[in-house]
């Protein structure tokens, strides 16, 4: 029985992650993501108008043609967490495969949400949706078993997937950080990760985004403390406060809501995606909103809420809005352009609890947004953010726990994979025989 790693997306770019593991005639797909900067997309966007082929030509979703040409029997599509660069292409590609989609409860709810929208657009996923919690294992076939291991990342209920094969374990670690004090959920399941290492990991497929950063990524608790300082450490009692953060980052939203309540302000979460992620987090029991928090959808609902805020007084509210990347259609940009009932006034506080995703489009959009806000006298407060991705020191520890026979850096082009190669080589792994630099569409047979 030979085993092959088939990288299909996320090895020439950051985004559209997808990796296939072939074990004999069977295969398991890990992730089906979208490349966010290839179609102008923010968290509220839909891509229903474009066909899978068009999106593939644009480089926005993975090219899955090799699966058909190899005649593989796909046993499952495994989604480790709910970010769009890991699950945003499901609705275009998953329907081709007669197999279940397996994910944790929060992620499955996100898949279902898209499915409901899909119905309205005439799309439907035929795949069965199966919930697998971290700490659980399920049989995919006589030879294959899937296990989810608890891990920390910037979205709740993230899992590292372990595929148990007759030859050993294959670990798919996209995405993760090692956070021992996460704001929601438990710390990573170190005991189980060491256990996998003892059983024998034949291949580790790992993100490499932060492998060049000589540090440890800070805990979410640090972002929470910074946010507290930005909200309580400045004179803002008589002014408007807007916080912009990732709508999918439930832990961050939880901190904002709790601090708002502590300040005696009514927290209003605005926008469709904010409503979607937060509502699902509440439903699956990961988030309990303080009493006075209001969850408002997008469009007319958010307009009405902003009118009400102006009537009652800005100083009674804390507004949470989408649009921290400066997306022109998002609420924050619309507020900055004066297109809503909520004008930006002198000394209003605009707090960015998010980094700028470093692509030229975001940098330019964000520049425009900040300039507009500044021109109207807003106080801009940046920095209350930590990454969801592991840095070098966490990768070092993951390698020590798993001691994989083969390593496939992923989630970035060769230039980024190189940082991971440097680290692994320093610990004795050999390039090409044990560390495999990969590109989309180029298969690699495991020597096991
Ligand atoms: Zn992610």
């Amino acid at each position: 029985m030979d085993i092959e790693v088939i990288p299909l997306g996320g090895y020439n770019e950051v985004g559209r992650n997808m990796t296939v593991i072939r074990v004999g005639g069977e295969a398991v797909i890990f992730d089906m993501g979208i490349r966010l900067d290839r179609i102008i997309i923010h968290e509220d966007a839909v891509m229903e108008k474009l066909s899978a082929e068009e999106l593939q030509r644009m480089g926005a979703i993975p090219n899955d043609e090799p699966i058909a040409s190899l005649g593989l029997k796909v046993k499952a599509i495994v989604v480790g967490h709910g970010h769009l660069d890991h699950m945003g292409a499901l609705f275009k590609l998953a329907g081709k495969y007669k197999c279940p989609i397996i994910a944790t409860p929060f992620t499955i709810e996100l898949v279902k949400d898209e499915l409901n929208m899909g119905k309205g657009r005439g799309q439907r996923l035929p795949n069965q949706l199966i919930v697998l919690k971290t700490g659980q294992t399920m049989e995919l076939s006589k030879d294959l078993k899937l296990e989810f291991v608890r891990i920390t990342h910037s979205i709740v209920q993230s899992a590292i997937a372990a595929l148990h094969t007759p030859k050993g374990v294959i670990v798919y670690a996209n995405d993760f950080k090692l956070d021992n004090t996460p704001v929601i959920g438990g710390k990573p399941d170190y005991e189980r990760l060491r256990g996998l290492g003892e059983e024998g990991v034949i291949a580790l497929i790992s993100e490499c985004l932060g492998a060049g950063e000589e540090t440890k990524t800070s805990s979410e608790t640090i972002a929470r403390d910074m946010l507290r300082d930005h909200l309580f450490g400045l004179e803002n009692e008589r002014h408007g406060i807007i916080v912009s953060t990732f709508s999918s980052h439930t832990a961050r939203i939880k901190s904002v809501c709790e601090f708002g309540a502590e300040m005696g302000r009514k927290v209003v979460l605005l926008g469709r995606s904010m409503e979607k992620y937060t509502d699902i987090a509440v439903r699956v029991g990961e988030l309990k909103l303080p009493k006075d928090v209001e969850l408002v959808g997008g469009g007319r609902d958010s307009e009405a809420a902003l009118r009400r805020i102006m009537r009652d007084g800005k100083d009674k509210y804390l507004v949470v809005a989408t649009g921290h990347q400066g997306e022109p259609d998002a609420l924050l940009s619309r507020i900055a352009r004066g297109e809503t009932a909520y004008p930006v006034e002198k000394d209003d506080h605009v707090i960015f609890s998010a980094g700028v995703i470093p692509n030229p489009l975001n940098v330019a959009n964000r520049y425009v947004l900040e300039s507009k806000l500044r021109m109207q006298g807003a106080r801009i407060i940046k920095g209350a953010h930590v990454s969801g991705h592991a840095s070098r020191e966490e990768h070092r520890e993951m390698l020590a726990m798993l001691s994989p026979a083969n390593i496939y850096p992923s989630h970035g082009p060769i230039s980024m994979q190189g940082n991971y190669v440097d680290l692994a080589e320093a610990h004795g792994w050999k390039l090409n025989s044990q560390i495999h630099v990969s590109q989309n569409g180029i298969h690699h047979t495991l020597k096991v």
Side-chain angles (χ1 to χ4, degrees):
M1 177 184 296
D2 60 334
I3 298 180
E4 206 176 26
V5 177
I6 309 175
L8 294 183
Y11 294 81
N12 293 32
E13 64 275 294
V14 177
R16 61 163 179 167
N17 294 290
M18 181 166 171
T19 304
V20 179
I21 304 296
R22 178 178 72 76
V23 181
E26 296 181 329
V28 178
I29 297 172
F30 292 90
D31 290 342
M32 276 187 174
I34 185 166
R35 183 174 174 184
L36 296 158
D37 59 333
R38 276 295 164 102
I39 54 174
I40 310 293
I41 184 170
H42 58 82
E43 285 159 325
D44 281 333
V46 285
M47 52 173 186
E48 80 272 22
K49 288 203 173 73
L50 298 162
S51 72
E53 293 70 27
E54 281 170 314
L55 288 163
Q56 283 169 332
R57 269 200 301 279
M58 290 161 67
I61 64 172
N63 175 9
D64 61 337
E65 192 278 327
I67 300 175
S69 61
L70 290 167
L72 300 179
K73 208 167 169 348
V74 179
K75 303 306 289 181
I77 299 166
V78 179
V79 182
H81 68 284
H83 282 150
L84 290 172
D85 56 336
H86 297 261
M87 59 165 268
L90 280 172
F91 319 102
K92 295 292 173 184
L93 300 178
K96 293 187 197 176
Y97 304 99
K98 290 189 179 58
C99 70
I101 297 169
I102 304 172
T104 56
F106 178 77
T107 311
I108 283 287
E109 289 303 314
L110 289 173
V111 174
K112 273 192 210 160
D113 180 82
E114 295 286 343
L115 194 59
N116 284 335
M117 288 206 316
K119 276 182 200 164
R121 304 198 298 261
Q123 296 177 3
R124 248 193 131 143
L125 288 184
N127 312 74
Q128 189 192 354
L129 305 179
I130 297 180
V131 166
L132 187 68
K133 293 183 178 169
T134 55
Q136 292 182 334
T137 300
M138 71 171 282
E139 212 160 274
L140 301 179
S141 74
K142 188 167 63 59
D143 289 328
L144 300 176
K145 260 193 324 188
L146 176 71
E147 176 184 359
F148 273 173
V149 180
R150 187 177 68 241
I151 199 68
T152 42
H153 185 41
S154 46
I155 189 165
V156 296
Q157 295 190 359
S158 293
I160 279 184
L163 183 67
H164 296 262
T165 79
K167 297 283 176 74
V169 185
I170 296 171
V171 174
Y172 184 80
N174 271 331
D175 301 337
F176 76 96
K177 69 192 269 188
L178 299 182
D179 187 345
N180 291 343
T181 51
V183 168
I184 294 179
K187 61 183 184 181
D189 189 347
Y190 295 115
E191 199 183 324
R192 191 57 201 130
L193 290 168
R194 280 191 208 99
L196 290 171
E198 279 156 23
E199 283 169 40
V201 174
I202 51 173
L204 165 65
I205 295 148
S206 169
E207 70 153 282
C208 67
L209 284 168
E213 305 291 332
E214 284 189 293
T215 185
K216 177 202 172 294
T217 301
S218 293
S219 165
E220 180 57 24
T221 301
I222 304 291
R224 180 177 166 93
D225 285 348
M226 282 192 278
L227 191 58
R228 182 200 296 275
D229 195 37
H230 293 178
L231 285 166
F232 289 92
L234 292 168
E235 182 50 58
N236 56 20
E237 263 179 26
R238 287 174 294 112
H239 303 289
I241 303 178
I242 301 174
V243 177
S244 192
T245 190
F246 297 93
S247 49
S248 58
H249 202 323
T250 304
R252 197 70 55 80
I253 304 272
K254 174 182 155 81
S255 297
V256 177
C257 290
E258 288 172 358
F259 295 152
E262 219 176 296
M263 294 166 89
R265 291 190 182 228
K266 187 173 175 64
V267 178
V268 185
L269 303 170
L270 295 172
R272 202 202 77 79
S273 66
M274 200 66 84
E275 185 185 30
K276 172 177 85 173
Y277 288 102
T278 307
D279 186 55
I280 291 176
V282 170
R283 241 190 297 140
V284 301
E286 291 291 352
L287 177 66
K288 200 167 170 299
L289 287 173
K291 227 181 23 268
D292 222 15
V293 173
E294 199 182 333
L295 202 48
V296 181
R300 270 199 213 112
D301 293 344
S302 72
E303 286 301 326
L306 290 173
R307 273 198 300 277
R308 176 161 44 84
I309 290 168
M310 290 311 293
R311 235 182 7 247
D312 296 353
K314 274 180 177 177
D315 56 344
K316 297 189 174 58
Y317 290 87
L318 189 155
V319 172
V320 185
T322 53
H324 46 83
Q325 298 301 311
E327 306 92 320
D329 295 339
L331 185 60
L332 189 53
S333 287
R334 292 185 29 245
I335 288 175
R337 288 197 300 266
E339 293 171 11
T340 71
Y342 187 108
V344 179
E345 291 165 304
K346 188 168 173 335
D347 291 336
D348 281 350
H349 288 221
V350 180
I351 298 175
F352 287 95
S353 188
V356 182
I357 299 165
N359 72 50
L361 182 68
N362 289 340
V363 173
N365 282 339
R366 177 77 178 253
Y367 174 80
V368 172
L369 170 63
E370 286 183 24
S371 301
K372 289 220 162 83
L373 292 169
R374 255 182 231 115
M375 281 160 65
Q376 293 164 86
R379 294 171 70 174
I380 294 176
I381 301 129
K382 302 189 238 181
H385 181 63
V386 297
S387 169
H389 297 282
S391 297
R392 176 163 286 213
E393 288 311 310
E394 292 142 284
H395 284 299
R396 209 190 290 280
E397 300 206 346
M398 190 61 90
L399 283 172
M401 286 187 283
L402 296 176
S403 53
N406 291 278
I407 301 170
Y408 296 82
S410 73
H411 212 310
I414 289 177
S415 53
M416 291 174 81
Q417 295 178 35
N419 291 320
Y420 199 107
V421 173
D422 283 345
L423 172 67
E425 276 196 311
H427 286 273
W429 277 271
K430 298 266 178 300
L431 181 61
N432 295 332
S433 59
Q434 294 166 313
I435 316 166
H436 310 284
V437 171
S438 311
Q439 286 194 292
N440 298 336
I442 301 181
H443 309 197
H444 185 262
T445 305
L446 270 181
K447 290 188 182 62
V448 284

